[in-house]
Amino acid sequence: NILKVAMINNESIMVALDNDKIVYVELPSVSKLKSLVLHHSLEEAFSLVDTEPMLQGTHEHMLLEERYNKDFKEATQALIHSDEALAHRIIDNYENVPSKMQEIQNLFIAFKNFKRFNELYIEEKYTLAYAMCEKFEPLKNTVQYTQMEHKFRMTFINAQKQIILSNPLKAKELLFE
């Protein structure tokens, strides 16, 4: 059993046990993670977080995730504008990070289908466009998806109004047009 725990410095603690033993425990280095992030060694930073679970949730880890999310959004925008080379350059720092590999692969796979998704959107075949978004999650980050969602919300609100006004046929008509 543990009698007392004392912090020696930011990277180690001393634990006094009830059997009169003292154990020194090295903590994962937050300063090392911070340094890796500052020096753009993002692959190494994610590797450190994966091997040292105690770093998860730290301020530095959150900054690392924010940086990834920002780059992921930039890569998405590049793909929306059909610039695959730029998207690869932006996301290149993360392509060998095991926890991000699948998400990155899904991004590029999704945008191979963007042209078809956009055609469905222009033709107002929203049901099929929604189905594509369910299959290819990154398509939900597009302006087209946001506009479809807005249109659906407005239609749904109007249908609710029609029901309140005792006009269920008009509500049905709005929802199925």
Side-chain angles (χ1 to χ4, degrees):
N1 289 339
I2 298 173
L3 292 178
K4 191 165 188 164
V5 177
M7 188 86 137
I8 297 173
N9 57 38
N10 285 340
E11 296 178 15
S12 60
I13 57 173
M14 179 179 65
V15 180
L17 303 174
D18 64 355
N19 62 0
D20 296 330
K21 289 189 177 183
I22 295 176
V23 178
Y24 293 94
V25 179
E26 294 295 318
L27 299 175
S29 176
V30 172
S31 58
K32 182 175 181 183
L33 178 58
K34 187 175 184 177
S35 174
L36 290 171
V37 172
L38 287 174
H39 293 96
H40 304 289
S41 302
L42 305 175
E43 191 174 325
E44 284 181 63
F46 274 108
S47 177
L48 180 63
V49 170
D50 288 344
T51 58
E52 299 290 350
M54 289 180 68
L55 290 174
Q56 292 180 3
T58 62
H59 177 70
E60 288 74 12
H61 177 237
M62 294 301 154
L63 290 175
L64 179 63
E65 288 292 341
E66 285 174 19
R67 174 104 181 253
Y68 168 75
N69 290 333
K70 178 183 162 283
D71 288 346
F72 189 85
K73 285 179 184 174
E74 284 181 26
T76 301
Q77 288 302 311
L79 289 169
I80 287 170
H81 295 96
S82 302
D83 195 344
E84 193 171 335
L86 177 59
H88 275 290
R89 280 196 307 275
I90 292 169
I91 213 84
D92 187 50
N93 289 324
Y94 311 97
E95 287 183 339
N96 295 319
V97 175
S99 61
K100 304 299 180 195
M101 286 173 127
Q102 189 64 48
E103 186 176 16
I104 292 168
Q105 286 174 350
N106 289 344
L107 176 68
F108 286 97
I109 291 169
F111 278 90
K112 288 191 186 325
N113 296 285
F114 179 70
K115 184 177 179 184
R116 177 67 181 137
F117 168 72
N118 197 40
E119 288 170 1
L120 292 171
Y121 170 76
I122 290 169
E123 295 169 7
E124 295 185 359
K125 295 181 178 177
Y126 298 133
T127 306
L128 295 173
Y130 271 116
M132 283 191 75
C133 289
E134 288 304 311
K135 186 173 182 180
F136 306 110
E137 283 283 322
L139 293 176
K140 290 181 178 181
N141 298 324
T142 62
V143 172
Q144 292 86 338
Y145 181 81
T146 304
Q147 290 174 345
M148 285 187 336
E149 283 288 289
H150 177 71
K151 183 173 179 162
F152 173 75
R153 275 193 295 282
M154 297 310 297
T155 301
F156 190 75
I157 289 169
N158 287 335
Q160 285 179 319
K161 286 178 185 175
Q162 292 301 318
I163 289 175
I164 290 170
L165 296 171
S166 299
N167 196 351
L169 293 175
K170 179 68 175 167
K172 217 178 213 183
E173 183 183 309
L174 284 170
L175 290 173
F176 290 103
E177 59 179 35

